[in-house]
Amino acid sequence: MIGFGVGTLMRVGSSIVLTRVIPDAPSVYGVMAIVFSVYGGILLFTDVGVSLLLTQNKRGAEPSFRNTAWTAQVLRGVSIWLLAIALSPLFAAAYPDFPGVQQLVIVTALAAVIGGFTSTSAHLFSRNMEVHRLAKLDLIAQLGGTTVTITHALLAPSPWALVSGTLATAATRLVTSHLMSDMRQRFQWDRVAASHLVTMGRWVFLSTALAFACHQADRLLFAKMITVEQLGIYSIAVRLAHAAADVLRRLSGNVVYPILCRAHHSGGDLSAAFFENRARVVAAASMALTFLCGGGAAVLDLLYEDEFAAGGWILQIFAFYAWIDCCLLTPRLQVVLAKGQPRWSAAANFTKVIAMIALIWIGYNQFGFPGAVVGYALAELPRYAVTLWGCCDVGVSRPGTDLKLMLWFAAVSAGTFFIDQTLAERGYNSLIRCFAAAILPTVVWGRAALQVFMTRKVDSARN
């Protein structure tokens, strides 16, 4: 968990430095918000579930299975780049106010080609719950990318600094993954392994295609509502909220999900495994995200230049969005995936797409851009409802526990917001406001979060 946290701090620190080094940073981040959304969308549309399959399937550790998955992964990476080349003129025409989008998308998509050759060892680390090795891999990759990004920005500040960092991260991860691997990858096509990949992949493809609309389309939609500078401010606020949740989401995916898969395959009590291990995520995530939900305005004011501080309200809304995703949605999605039923993930994403379209339209027409942002965040709740239904279908329900968590989150966030606003009205600076806003979340969630950390430390020592 420490490794994931350091990697996240590096990403946040890099963005803080870049907003001060790159001239007209809001415009640059606005352009790159479109570029990364397009690239991320192509990644999601071409996902065939390689990572999920290697973790969930009993044969996931066999060499023939891994080589087949690796071959599919390489082919996917090349396909992503070719698709980016084909689609880039369309996005350039759709966003004429965002200069250089076509060239930036094409070069950024090369990261998928590089990433396609990454060893499957990374997936095996997750399968075997070797979190320390996975964190080491991610940390080294992030260090390589951050170093290149900042160096490029200092020498030639432009959007290309973010692109070069993306490519460097992928290349560093590629090399490191093979150095840490227990086998040499080669091209192979095992028919049985391929059939498993197709079976899992068709539902994962549908789910992740819908996930594009759920997680990437907001920037593409909002780019039509606001200026490029405003989109840059929006992207920084959203990135900070997601960075806080990403550490815990990774912990959930690399610890809780493999445990659930083992419980399913061994015939154990999946419900007990879920509720016992979800606590590893909820306490730490709630402490971080209630702090951001209540004191987000002070955080942005402290960390970024004045023009970015205007996005404090966006950070607060997305902290709520990230908490729903990290504490309620993602752990329950892992239950149905562990049961080998990705159709529930597809159904949940489809529900969110419908809700998102309706709520963004209503919010924008009634309250302008702020209403659209709130509508996008609230669309996560119908997605959660479908996911909960899927969990009930496989015997993991107890929705009352989720309701209690949500009420606690709302109460602590409201208290934190009141503290921050009171200090702001009295003229206290952002540093004091941040310290004060951290008190209530730490008191409520800190002890449980520390116990989770100590448990992970003891588990690592035993292993």
Side-chain angles (χ1 to χ4, degrees), residues 20 26 105 127 141 159 164 173 208 226-227 243 297 367 376 386 415 418:
R20 287 166 166 77
V105 166
R127 176 188 177 91
S164 64
R173 185 179 179 84
T208 53
I226 55 179
T227 66
F367 305 103
Y376 176 75
V386 174
F418 175 76

Side-chain angles (χ1 to χ4, degrees), residues 48-96:
V48 292
V50 169
S51 178
L52 289 174
L53 185 67
L54 289 177
T55 303
Q56 191 269 343
N57 196 280
K58 292 182 179 181
R59 292 187 56 204
E62 295 179 11
S64 62
F65 210 94
R66 290 175 60 182
N67 282 327
T68 301
W70 184 75
T71 302
Q73 185 177 275
V74 171
L75 293 174
R76 174 183 175 241
V78 175
S79 300
I80 288 171
W81 185 56
L82 295 176
L83 192 58
I85 294 174
L87 295 178
S88 59
L90 300 178
F91 286 101
Y95 299 96

Side-chain angles (χ1 to χ4, degrees), residues 13-33:
S14 173
S15 70
I16 293 172
V17 172
L18 292 176
T19 57
R20 287 166 166 77
V21 171
I22 298 178
D24 196 17
S27 295
V28 169
Y29 271 93
V31 171
M32 292 309 298

Side-chain angles (χ1 to χ4, degrees), residues 74-305:
V74 171
L75 293 174
R76 174 183 175 241
V78 175
S79 300
I80 288 171
W81 185 56
L82 295 176
L83 192 58
I85 294 174
L87 295 178
S88 59
L90 300 178
F91 286 101
Y95 299 96
D97 296 332
F98 292 74
V101 165
Q102 181 173 355
Q103 295 78 13
L104 289 165
V105 166
I106 292 173
V107 178
T108 300
L110 282 171
V113 179
I114 299 170
F117 287 90
T118 300
S119 170
T120 57
S121 60
H123 307 306
L124 267 293
F125 296 157
S126 176
R127 176 188 177 91
N128 299 327
M129 293 186 293
E130 297 177 293
V131 182
H132 61 290
R133 301 189 71 187
L134 191 60
K136 179 180 178 181
L137 173 62
D138 288 345
L139 188 60
I140 293 173
Q142 188 61 48
L143 178 61
T146 300
T147 302
V148 171
T149 300
I150 294 178
T151 301
H152 190 156
L154 290 172
L155 297 176
S158 72
W160 290 103
L162 297 171
V163 176
S164 64
T166 301
L167 298 177
T169 300
T172 308
R173 185 179 179 84
L174 164 65
V175 174
T176 307
S177 69
H178 283 281
L179 292 176
M180 296 175 68
S181 180
D182 59 343
M183 64 171 281
R184 184 177 180 180
Q185 302 276 186
R186 63 184 180 86
F187 290 106
Q188 185 176 353
W189 199 253
D190 182 301
R191 290 185 179 181
V192 176
S195 67
H196 284 291
L197 189 62
V198 170
T199 301
M200 173 72 80
R202 64 188 179 186
W203 283 108
V204 171
F205 168 78
L206 178 60
S207 175
T208 53
L210 292 169
F212 163 71
C214 293
H215 300 298
Q216 299 291 337
D218 58 321
R219 274 143 282 193
L220 300 180
L221 289 173
F222 294 158
K224 294 294 187 179
M225 303 177 185
I226 55 179
T227 66
V228 61
E229 292 82 5
Q230 290 173 320
L231 186 65
I233 295 170
Y234 172 86
S235 67
I236 283 291
V238 171
R239 177 177 295 192
L240 190 57
H242 285 316
D246 187 53
V247 179
L248 290 311
R249 196 180 292 112
R250 282 174 168 270
L251 180 65
S252 179
N254 295 310
V255 175
V256 178
Y257 179 59
I259 290 174
L260 296 177
C261 290
R262 290 186 180 185
H264 169 59
H265 289 310
S266 64
D269 189 339
L270 187 62
S271 180
F274 167 72
F275 287 107
E276 178 183 351
N277 288 281
R278 185 174 68 166
R280 300 186 176 211
V281 177
V282 168
S286 296
M287 185 172 70
L289 293 171
T290 48
F291 166 65
L292 290 180
C293 193
V299 172
L300 272 188
D301 187 52
L302 177 66
L303 297 180
Y304 293 93
E305 297 291 328

Side-chain angles (χ1 to χ4, degrees), residues 305-319:
E305 297 291 328
D306 290 341
E307 59 256 24
F308 287 100
W313 64 273
I314 300 174
L315 174 57
Q316 290 171 311
I317 291 171
F318 268 85

